[in-house]
Amino acid sequence: MSTVTTGTGSPKRRLGDLVFANLTRAAGLTILIALAGVGIFLTVEGIPAFGAGPDDLKGHSNLLTYVAPLVFGTLLAAVIALLIAVPLALGVALSISHYAPRRIAAGVGYLVDLLAAVPSVVYGLWGIAVLGPKLVPVYKWLASHFDWIPFFAGPASNTGRTIFTASIVLALMVLPIVTAITREIFAQTPRLNEEAALALGATRWEMIRLAVLPYGRSGIVSAAMLGLGRALGETMAVAMVLSASGVVTWNLISATNPSTIAANIALTFADATGTARNALIASGLVLFLITFVVNFSARAIVSRYEPGSK
Amino acid sequence: MAKSIDVSDLNIYYGDFLAVEGVNMTITARSVTALIGPSGCGKSTFLRTLNRMHEVIPGARVEGKVLVDGQSLYDSAVDPVEVRRMVGMVFQRPNPFPTMSIYENVLAGLRLNNKKLSKSDADAVVEKALRGANLWNEVKDRLTKPGMGLSGGQQQRLCIARAIAVEPQILLMDEPCSALDPISTSAIEDLIHELKEQYTIVIVTHNMQQAARVSEDTAFFNLAGAGKPGRLVEMNPTKKIFSVPDEEATEAYISGRFG
Amino acid sequence: MAKSIDVSDLNIYYGDFLAVEGVNMTITARSVTALIGPSGCGKSTFLRTLNRMHEVIPGARVEGKVLVDGQSLYDSAVDPVEVRRMVGMVFQRPNPFPTMSIYENVLAGLRLNNKKLSKSDADAVVEKALRGANLWNEVKDRLTKPGMGLSGGQQQRLCIARAIAVEPQILLMDEPCSALDPISTSAIEDLIHELKEQYTIVIVTHNMQQAARVSEDTAFFNLAGAGKPGRLVEMNPTKKIFSVPDEEATEAYISGRFG
Amino acid sequence: AGNESDGSGSSLKGTIAGAGSSAQDSAMKAWRAGYQTDNSGVTVNYNPSGSGAGVEQFVDGAIDFAASDSALDAEKGEIDAAKSRCGGENALEVPSYVSPIAVVYSLDGVDKLNLSASTIAKIFDGKITKWNDAAIAIDNPGVDLPGSTITPVHRSDESGTTKNFTDYLSKAADGAWKYPSDKVWPLKSGEAANGTSGVIAAIKSGSIGYADESQVGDLTVASIKVGDAYVAPSAEGAAKALEVSPTDDTRAEGDLAIKVDRTTTEAGAYPLFLASYVIACPTYDKAKADIVKGFLSYVVSTDGQAAAASNAGSAPLPAALQTKAASIINTIAAK
Amino acid sequence: MTDLAPAPTERAARSIKNPRLPQYAPLIALVVAVAASALLGLTLGWGVIPIGIVAAIFYLIGLTTWSRIIENARAATDRLVTSLVWVSLTIALIPLVSLLWKVIDEGKGALNGKFLTYSMRNVIGEPGGIYHAIMGTLLITLAAAVISVPIGLLAAVYLVEYGAHSQLARWIRFLVDVMTGIPSIVAGLFAYALFSLIVGPGTQFGIGGGVALSILMIPIVVRSSEEMLKLVPADLREASYALGVPKWKTILKVVIPTAMAGIITGVTLAIARVIGETAPLLIICGATDSVNLNLFHGQMASLPVFIYGSYTQPGSNPEILKQMAWGAALILILIVMALNILARVLGKLFSPKTGH
Ligand SMILES: Nc1ncnc2c1ncn2[C@@H]1O[C@H](COP(=O)(O)OP(=O)(O)OP(=O)(O)O)[C@@H](O)[C@H]1O
Ligand SMILES: Nc1ncnc2c1ncn2[C@@H]1O[C@H](COP(=O)(O)OP(=O)(O)OP(=O)(O)O)[C@@H](O)[C@H]1O
Ligand SMILES: [Mg+2]
Ligand SMILES: [Mg+2]
Ligand SMILES: O=P([O-])([O-])[O-]
């Protein structure tokens, strides 16, 4: 039978607790350190690139003019991808949360998750082998009828491996995450508010407009931003699908396309040496900073609406 | 112009589960009818069939007839959206739209159909509805503030204002006071008294005293047992129900011997 | 071996909120003491200070003294873990460990404290504790089945067995029957009768009849108003409390006039 | 794995690593397979990371030999760097792989096409944009050329093929190509494709590109104007052009760099070719000397050249060059 | 007050009977739209895709107009949105079907015993195998899991049990969320930069891939474990404390075992997420055609990199290598799906037996 050990120096905090608590905190700190490490090591290895010359920068005179077109391409591809993905994702999310019968909704949800499970390299294969060729006639048609729109100025690509095709593949890849978040938010719309709208004589769409969309607005914005973060950083699908020249152009369907930071790294890392690698790492740092800012803002928006936060 | 309701042989299902069975009932126009009964006996379920809100639940369906002034609600040519405009509803917990101001909340239903409402007409409708819900004086200085900023009782009256702004003929209320304090409750009861001049009102309540206070007629629903469907046991003038009910079960329930 | 408890000038805080104020109380060894009072008056809070479970909640703290047979529980040198081994606790809702069998649940306290038990010793402990909790006959054939597979009342007795397996001297129970049906309740009450031969028992209950049935002494807590701290109003032999309480508030509470 | 476990062959044991030219990758596969089959205890790793990367890694001492599509460059200090890597002795450099570069195209209804160097230059420079341009028509009398747009396809990565192709254009195109010879494609127009295979895959109807002949497959290839005749790419043509190209006599002994003559008019010669080298040190540790020597000897041997020819479609080294190369490799010794 | 209430006469006019389209109207509209588009397409010689697009447009316009004429503007809008929702769902799922079909169709031909048991060493001009890539993928992913699971789980324990509402925990939680968005190529560059500085410039080996993947995996493990730990009822912790069990033991012996099913499911899903990553491995692991089982030395093959390499740079035998790439893609997808299914099964298997 145990008794209380008073006065005999039983420690207030037990050793096991002390060790374990600090161990878990160390694990938490490790994550912060790793995150900081990503920034630090990229910076350390990226700094030599500031001295790089045209030889190491594919003919660009300095790092800035080297990275700027890549940033342009990265943003262009990601924004187009979002313009395609967000409306689709909203449609899919609504079909799951408000339109499909429950059984079908579960199946659709599973299929969308499946879309997320496909590795990006496989999207790349599909983009080259299926999507690109299928789009060639579409691009030809666009170039011959709409060449007055700068986006479709042409001449149309022969292979379909354009920034637009890459954006479509990107859109598919960000669709699941945007869908997952928005559908979660739509499903959380208070049933009471939906019924309030219906009881006022709202059609289903009016109910969604009155009760569901306003409720989920900030969630939709942050889901889109998280999608943007994904699209900015996605590498292989773009590297494989895109025929990248690294130009700055609004022409979306021609053979001469902008490149993205991530694709450029993947494509040229292997045969880059010395300072050229430093330059690639420096461009990676830029990508890291961009995605960090985007994700940071998106998460900041989401966390404002999380329960328990003020 | 408020309307009477005739219900005949109504069976109400959730999927395969028969929740309420064989209801026959006549609800008088411009009066208050109270639905009482133990929890789970199907009061809410029945109420929601009167404006076709029942079918909003996946798999839910109805057999039988509901006539409003002779028009069958469940005719295939009938548009449920129109039914719900004609038969307004107030819920157990106040549910103003959280992103809208008080003003916008009142107008929400009207805006659906009448997009080009002039500012002055809109103002008039809002004032009329809020006065009708006994809320005008409390909120007239902060119409642009969010509806969620009101107290529970005020929110419930806001919901009533929202419901009457679309000018329904019938008003359904599902335990409208159960989330409210006594003072708010009595404000709502006063309001019901006034509204019945113009509206046919059907109210579900758990509170016998409230049923006795506000209603002309009372319908008592009961459950034969767990998993069995609910049934209408007795419907009579409230006075009679609370003094000499026809059925023994009603008597037992009202005197608190079960439920 | 069971111990008596002396509480003096105890203030209990959640962060800055003073939940219970100025409690002075003596709890007799080998007897059952019931804590009663309206919801929110701090019964659970007070109970949890008797085995230092209160401080598990972030920001929670205590001022004043709790002496168990003269030893202060809140001395800086006292290890709360040791206190909890000496003062067992049973909760409102039965909470057997879901990953463990019945057998392992009973042994959890010992095993998790690194006691090396031989198989036969362990068997003996389990049988003794389960017999002590009046559960042995019902479960002896399925000791390796999950504890979650038992009925609510059985689970609660399993939790009692788990608590007494570590051989505490005091047993705290926070509304142990409130989630149980009448038959299980009466099984637990019988058990409490038996346990008091060996343990000092403190039980929180909402049920006056239960307090009257099981306890020797009763302490009545009350709340002066919302946001005010709870206080011990009166502590007396149960017989007296339920017949001629010293305080008017006690009388009012017991006769059902409030709470 | 089922294919890695047989224990036949010589008693040599060990691993050596090389890196560099991707053009040589197919040939390297054949050489490694041949050599590893004869010496099952040996693993030769080869990373086709590109000629530049190969030289750099070799200089850093990270690998044992390099393969490069261009000879070590004195101006860039590569010769000196290689020398210090090899402990103060001059590095050895011998041609191992010679392959024609084909101008590939795809055009419905046109399966024979003649082009002069200056026309090729203008097409890739974007000066000629339609297939029925007069300049093309002159070279192809009687061919029905469509009026569709030309899509020139070039390498997006750094490439020895690009270096040799631009070298050819800058020297043979009579001033129509203003850019210097470079591993990086100098223009930002046309379609960019990664690697030789990427170029091949990007040749769709209306496109034209350049690629190592070994990977051309079923695509149609243009004949280029040499003198007054048109010559289709072939191993023999490349070998002929190589024969008229002198070795660089400014180089140290053991360095068989070749000065390719792009403007030859020799009948049947195909001057648009790529000569690629292997680079190694004269001495190695005991453990590696035999393996490096053995492997590189196999590379330049008749057997090795034949294996490369059949797997990579390259031109076997001319006999004279091969003998010289073999004798240089033979000097590799243990320290 | 009464005088301001709605005047009864105003309310009289409405009828609840509106003309409505028959229930099967969308079906009719769909059939007509597809038929019209197909007819048009066949006469003008379009492919399947333009026919599909035009059919969708016909459907949207047709049904909306029909409803507009027979029903009313609001109903028409409602039908338009409903149709748009279904159309967008179809658009989203077509690529998935196309992709899976293509991978299976192209990949099945590559599958045979040799494919899974041979490497590419000494293989020229004939199909080889992907044993080296499978082993590499398994080893690298295993390394990533070995790094990520302890760190992730312990960090989750910190967030739920120790840090709770502390400022540090808030930041960790937030930055872990941010970290889920780190591009995989950046993780690869990080590992490359790290080992370039530690081991030597240009180092490529398997463990580097493990480190890179763990950057991607840790946040997933932390978040899913955190959710699972939070689901463990506070009751159980208190029950354990009340038995005199110290906190750390309570966590190890009661909380984590109770959450184990969810944690394992989360870890499995995290593995499924990173096992298909290509970009980081391309940079830090390189590629080889021989089997390399040593994580700490030499380049290591992996399935995604093998797929990428063989498809985009097949060299002189493109048919053979491209087919192998499709085969490897099929294997990779099967592995990912198997992991997803496994996650569900494990979740069921390890969940606490309630006995009900
Ligand atoms: N959405 C639903 N799906 C399936 N069954 C339901 C649903 N809503 C209610 N039920 C069932 O229908 C029966 C009647 O429920 P209902 O809510 O109408 O009872 P009630 O009389 O309103 O009870 P309360 O007084 O508790 O509100 C119950 O058995 C209930 O379980
Ligand atoms: N974790 C907590 N944090 C802050 N305040 C708390 C916490 N738990 C209880 N309180 C407050 O302490 C006071 C006493 O609560 P306690 O749960 O002890 O009451 P009780 O008498 O047990 O009530 P009941 O009969 O409902 O169980 C209440 O005002 C309650 O709001
Ligand atoms: Mg109800
Ligand atoms: Mg309590
Ligand atoms: O051999 P390449 O450098 O042209 O790939």
Side-chain angles (χ1 to χ4, degrees), chain D residues 21-24 50-51 69 155 157-162 196 274:
Chain D
S21 157
S22 65
Q24 288 202 42
S51 306
D69 293 339
R155 291 281 291 270
D157 50 338
E158 289 188 15
S159 155
T161 312
T162 300
T196 302
L274 168 149

Side-chain angles (χ1 to χ4, degrees), chain D residues 26-75:
Chain D
S26 296
M28 278 288 173
K29 273 193 182 126
W31 292 327
R32 285 154 59 220
Y35 189 68
Q36 285 172 164
T37 309
D38 290 345
N39 303 277
S40 67
V42 172
T43 297
V44 179
N45 278 324
Y46 181 75
N47 184 2
S49 54
S51 306
V55 170
E56 180 134 341
Q57 281 182 281
F58 176 72
V59 164
D60 285 348
I63 51 172
D64 303 305
F65 70 94
S68 172
D69 293 339
S70 45
L72 292 174
D73 192 332
E75 281 167 36

Side-chain angles (χ1 to χ4, degrees), chain C residues 40 42-45 92 174-175 204 206:
Chain C
K43 304 178 296 292
S44 303
T45 303
Q92 185 163 4
D174 191 354
E175 304 189 35
V204 172
H206 256 121

Side-chain angles (χ1 to χ4, degrees), chain B residues 1 71 73 75 77-82 85-86 112-113 128 131 134 167-169 194 198-199, chain E residues 1-20 72 74-75:
Chain B
M1 275 310 309
Q71 292 189 37
L73 290 195
D75 242 25
V78 168
D79 185 351
V81 167
E82 290 299 331
R85 293 180 67 82
M86 186 179 71
L112 293 178
N113 222 6
K128 190 158 113 185
R131 280 194 193 279
N134 269 346
E167 305 184 347
Q169 282 131 4
E194 285 171 25
Q198 312 230 0
Y199 300 91
Chain E
M1 221 147 290
T2 345
D3 51 351
L4 268 163
T9 42
E10 287 172 38
R11 296 192 268 135
R14 305 195 66 89
S15 156
I16 56 172
K17 287 201 186 180
N18 278 343
R20 308 187 72 197
N72 54 47
R74 291 173 58 205

